[in-house]
Amino acid sequence: MKKILVCVMVLLLTCTSAFAQEIPNDEINNWAVMLKSLIASNPNCKGSLNMVKPFQPIQMEASSLEAKGRAFYAEIGIATDLIDDVIRFSGEEFHFEDNQERLITLVFRGYENDHCFVFEKNEQGVEYLVDVVYGSYPSSVSADLVELKGGRYLLTNVNGHGSGSMANWTSWYSLENRRVELYTLREAYESYYPVVAEVVTKTNVDHKLSGNRSDAETTELITYTYTTVYTSFNETRNQYETVVDDECTVRIYHSSENGLVLIGERVFDTYTPAILEQKSVDELMNDEWQLVMDDQGDHDTASPNAYTGQVHPSLPMLTLTVTDTGERTTELIEDNILQVTIEALDGSMHQTLIWESRESPESDRIVSLARLKDLNFDGYSDLLLLAAEGAQNVYFAFSLWDVEEQQFRSVHRDCVWLREEARFSDEVIQIELCNPEIFPEQQILLSSDPDGLYYTREIFYMFDGSYHLTPKYIWDVYRDDDGMIRETMVEYMTRLVFLWDETYPEDWYYGQDGSGVVASERRNAAHEAALSWAQKKRMRVANVDWVNLRKQDSKASPSLAKINEGENVTVLVDACGPDNGWVRVLYSLGEHHTLSQDELDTGRTTLTGYIWHSFLEPVE
């Protein structure tokens, strides 16, 4: 049976400020509100047996299910044409214990695990079959027990053919109500992964105490309190934030010698904290502002696809309005061609841009179609345009603000990296940033695109000048041949250099128990190489005539090279592997011998591997 990491979901009711409020019980109980950003209509969802007609729990042990025959399955309500499959095919099995020490067992049966039998053992130790949950023909599954104020939920993640390309689903089954309360659709390119989620009340603080008013003796502190859902692939991977933007409470405090005094509080509807944080105090407190609604009554509302923001404090406020042109791209999977109209509120600017998007102004989203953020570190906000929104990944096209021309440049297009061919494409296409993250100190823009458990691409961009985007580092992890994981790290400046390009056994890379310790170490090393290369420690081989550069952290691992005493290496990870006795290093071939023409042509001029710590000493 395939081992699957069962992630433990933790409900966090935390805040980053004393001004944050605890999530009300009714919000936690109402998952239709709390997780509306993750809900999609699923025509294939039949729910469970109990949802079709009341199902009386049957006293029986989960272990006895294997021996049951046709009569049993027909009696409980399994469809006649599926009974043979349920009898013949056994699948994954999961065991959980709730806070009352009641054992819950999930047994998946049927062709491609499409029936989930739910067993519960009560406080007296008596076990019952309480329901059967239907899947969407999943080929692989994972599961979690989630305990909330609203009760106990079984979070089941499945990957299968579903309906056409809509292949990946997540169901939330309530043990108290014995019904599927939510069914989430994920696009097919987001492959199977365990999901961890955290529900958090979060407060952002404007730490600048920005002097939005001219009175020098008083400044304003602004807080933005809202509910957010964090999701991640597993405990070792990055989290991604999905803002549940039903409302955001903005509180404005006067800061003076007399202390901090609350001068205004307002609940905004529809608009995300990212949009509200760009507003001045006057705008936030202006009752005539038409883009908001507060608890004092309704105001006229503008288009839900209109956004406001400011490129720079010295420039006028802009309104961004998104519309669908009605045109489509010519690719096999057609994208919408959307248009954003940019207008200055003082009438000094009018501009339109188009971009390709899998989204539509008519569809429900949690992420704004257009938003402003400084991407190239010039102090002026640039334009992020939503290209696709998934359960984990959000992709943006973008347009940079041209300081000289005082307008946005065309939506950025360039060649893209072709992993299989190890080169950049000849064709110029729209560049999309996935889950973009900025590192101002290093002036690096990160695009992080995790696609399931086994595929990740992270591109570390730098700007050559203000407007030319250069992928300085490209880190790829993907499933290669059966049971093997391939990892590459490419550096691109004047030419391509493969810092490393190796394949590793999957069990070693992700761990037989799914812990992902090595995978996490490798990702951290890639980040440190990209973000802090100049600070990396140098060491040299010592106490031995030569040493093997091992492919993995084991003496039984193949040798990639023999490194002679006195030769230098760059430390990527110190104290790793068994007994924390290994050092992962980067070995530059060109430092110690003349590179061959083939090495120069292919860019494979460095190696990464492991050396036992006692054979290294610091370079003075």
Side-chain angles (χ1 to χ4, degrees):
M1 179 182 293
K2 185 171 98 178
K3 295 187 178 180
I4 294 181
L5 172 65
V6 178
C7 304
V8 179
M9 175 185 277
V10 182
L11 175 66
L12 296 179
L13 298 178
T14 62
C15 62
T16 57
S17 164
F19 304 120
Q21 303 295 309
E22 188 178 51
I23 304 176
N25 288 354
D26 57 348
E27 284 197 33
I28 292 179
N29 293 335
N30 187 359
W31 278 92
V33 172
M34 293 296 296
L35 296 177
K36 77 165 191 177
S37 62
L38 302 179
I39 300 174
S41 173
N42 173 22
N44 290 339
C45 177
K46 304 179 184 67
S48 70
L49 285 182
N50 188 59
M51 293 171 67
V52 176
K53 64 178 182 179
F55 178 81
Q56 292 299 320
I58 300 171
Q59 182 177 339
M60 61 178 288
E61 295 182 357
S63 58
S64 68
L65 189 63
E66 183 76 29
K68 296 296 183 182
R70 290 184 59 84
F72 168 79
Y73 291 112
E75 183 179 350
I76 65 174
I78 301 298
T80 304
D81 59 338
L82 297 176
I83 290 177
D84 286 340
D85 284 346
V86 171
I87 293 174
R88 289 172 56 200
F89 298 104
S90 59
E92 306 288 351
E93 188 168 317
F94 300 91
H95 303 272
F96 307 102
E97 191 173 88
D98 66 15
N99 289 334
Q100 303 299 317
E101 297 185 351
R102 292 170 292 192
L103 181 68
I104 293 94
T105 300
L106 305 184
V107 180
F108 286 86
R109 293 195 67 87
Y111 180 65
E112 299 203 23
N113 300 299
D114 53 356
H115 288 72
C116 176
F117 292 79
V118 181
F119 292 85
E120 182 173 357
K121 186 177 291 186
N122 62 22
E123 293 88 339
Q124 289 75 40
V126 181
E127 192 166 21
Y128 290 86
L129 171 65
V130 297
D131 206 350
V132 180
V133 180
Y134 294 109
S136 289
Y137 307 106
S139 57
S140 56
V141 296
S142 70
D144 242 332
L145 173 65
V146 184
E147 298 194 62
L148 304 169
K149 290 184 179 178
R152 298 168 300 160
Y153 288 84
L154 294 172
L155 167 63
T156 304
N157 309 294
V158 304
N159 174 51
H161 60 72
S163 172
S165 64
M166 304 304 185
N168 301 283
W169 314 89
T170 297
S171 70
W172 297 77
Y173 176 83
S174 168
L175 277 167
E176 270 60 53
N177 298 324
R178 293 198 296 134
R179 60 183 294 111
V180 175
E181 294 193 354
L182 294 179
Y183 219 71
T184 302
L185 167 66
R186 303 193 303 273
E187 294 294 343
Y189 56 77
E190 295 180 8
S191 301
Y192 160 80
Y193 48 80
V195 172
V196 179
E198 298 172 338
V199 180
V200 180
T201 291
K202 182 175 178 179
T203 296
N204 288 355
V205 179
D206 182 350
H207 292 283
K208 295 180 295 185
L209 287 174
S210 54
N212 289 317
R213 300 169 188 253
S214 59
D215 186 351
E217 295 183 0
T218 61
T219 53
E220 281 70 41
L221 170 66
I222 309 173
T223 65
Y224 310 82
T225 301
Y226 55 96
T227 302
T228 186
V229 175
Y230 289 97
T231 53
S232 65
F233 292 115
N234 55 47
E235 291 172 339
T236 67
R237 304 296 285 271
N238 272 359
Q239 288 186 324
Y240 300 97
E241 179 178 0
T242 304
V243 176
V244 180
D245 67 343
D246 285 296
E247 58 184 41
C248 176
T249 301
V250 176
R251 296 181 178 89
I252 301 174
Y253 303 80
H254 260 174
S255 173
S256 66
E257 292 182 354
N258 298 322
L260 205 60
V261 179
L262 179 67
I263 62 168
E265 178 176 316
R266 195 168 183 186
V267 179
F268 289 81
D269 181 54
T270 302
Y271 293 90
T272 63
I275 298 297
L276 296 173
E277 287 172 12
Q278 299 177 42
K279 300 295 177 186
S280 68
V281 170
D282 290 332
E283 288 174 311
L284 291 170
M285 298 309 294
N286 181 5
D287 286 336
E288 300 305 316
W289 188 36
Q290 293 186 334
L291 297 181
V292 300
M293 180 174 69
D294 63 18
D295 54 4
Q296 301 301 317
D298 294 343
H299 294 274
D300 293 334
T301 57
S303 163
N305 297 307
Y307 316 93
T308 61
Q310 204 168 12
V311 169
H312 191 270
S314 65
L315 297 174
M317 186 68 65
L318 302 178
T319 298
L320 314 173
T321 305
V322 176
T323 55
D324 192 336
T325 66
E327 298 179 10
R328 302 293 179 260
T329 59
T330 57
E331 284 78 10
L332 183 61
I333 300 177
E334 295 183 346
D335 286 346
N336 302 317
I337 297 180
L338 304 186
Q339 175 177 283
V340 58
T341 300
I342 305 132
E343 296 178 291
L345 296 185
D346 65 1
S348 62
M349 178 190 175
H350 179 92
Q351 183 182 7
T352 61
L353 297 170
I354 61 170
W355 84 99
E356 301 160 15
S357 178
R358 271 78 81 197
E359 305 300 328
S360 165
E362 307 304 320
S363 61
D364 292 331
R365 297 170 315 282
I366 200 65
V367 180
S368 301
L369 282 167
R371 55 185 291 204
L372 294 170
K373 187 180 185 69
D374 184 8
L375 301 176
N376 59 349
F377 313 102
D378 63 355
Y380 292 83
S381 292
D382 305 298
L383 187 58
L384 282 168
L385 301 166
L386 183 63
E389 177 187 20
Q392 294 293 330
N393 295 332
V394 182
Y395 299 84
F396 294 95
F398 65 96
S399 167
L400 300 174
W401 176 260
D402 192 313
V403 178
E404 290 77 20
E405 298 295 330
Q406 292 290 285
Q407 65 177 6
F408 290 101
R409 298 167 69 89
S410 298
V411 172
H412 196 84
R413 300 175 70 85
D414 208 336
C415 302
V416 294
W417 177 248
L418 304 176
R419 178 173 59 199
E420 291 77 11
E421 301 177 35
R423 66 177 182 88
F424 287 98
S425 65
D426 299 322
E427 182 186 6
V428 173
I429 66 172
Q430 175 178 287
I431 297 297
E432 295 178 3
L433 305 173
C434 184
N435 308 316
E437 185 177 356
I438 61 172
F439 295 88
E441 184 179 346
Q442 296 86 354
Q443 298 210 338
I444 280 180
L445 172 63
L446 171 62
S447 174
S448 179
D449 188 355
D451 186 6
L453 184 60
Y454 298 107
Y455 299 86
T456 296
R457 167 170 292 178
E458 297 194 342
I459 304 179
F460 300 81
Y461 290 104
M462 294 191 73
F463 284 90
D464 182 7
S466 294
Y467 309 123
H468 186 263
L469 192 67
T470 300
K472 185 178 181 182
Y473 295 100
I474 303 170
W475 182 63
D476 265 321
V477 178
Y478 57 99
R479 213 170 195 170
D480 198 19
D481 295 328
D482 236 7
M484 299 298 288
I485 298 296
R486 188 166 187 173
E487 180 188 328
T488 64
M489 182 73 164
V490 176
E491 181 184 36
Y492 178 68
M493 293 301 285
T494 56
R495 65 184 181 91
L496 279 174
V497 174
F498 280 81
L499 296 180
W500 57 84
D501 181 4
E502 296 290 346
T503 56
Y504 303 98
E506 183 180 312
D507 286 349
W508 175 77
Y509 199 91
Y510 288 108
Q512 291 185 347
D513 58 354
S515 60
V517 173
V518 172
S520 179
E521 169 251 297
R522 307 285 295 199
R523 183 177 186 273
N524 291 339
H527 275 235
E528 289 190 17
L531 298 173
S532 56
W533 184 257
Q535 286 77 48
K536 301 305 290 182
K537 183 167 64 174
R538 299 277 284 170
M539 301 189 81
R540 61 170 165 249
V541 174
N543 309 319
V544 67
D545 292 336
W546 57 268
V547 68
N548 283 305
L549 179 67
R550 298 290 182 183
K551 187 172 184 176
Q552 297 160 232
D553 51 10
S554 165
K555 292 180 180 179
S557 174
S559 173
L560 298 174
K562 289 183 177 180
I563 306 178
N564 295 320
E565 184 178 19
E567 290 187 353
N568 295 336
V569 294
T570 301
V571 176
L572 295 177
V573 183
D574 202 357
C576 60
D579 302 319
N580 289 326
W582 291 89
V583 180
R584 184 178 166 216
V585 303
L586 192 73
Y587 176 59
S588 178
L589 302 176
E591 281 191 40
H592 309 292
H593 73 265
T594 303
L595 295 172
S596 69
Q597 191 59 48
D598 181 65
E599 288 170 334
L600 289 170
D601 290 343
T602 61
R604 286 168 168 80
T605 58
T606 60
L607 297 170
T608 187
Y610 297 83
I611 298 176
W612 189 253
H613 69 95
S614 61
F615 300 134
L616 293 171
E617 66 179 16
V619 173
E620 298 298 334

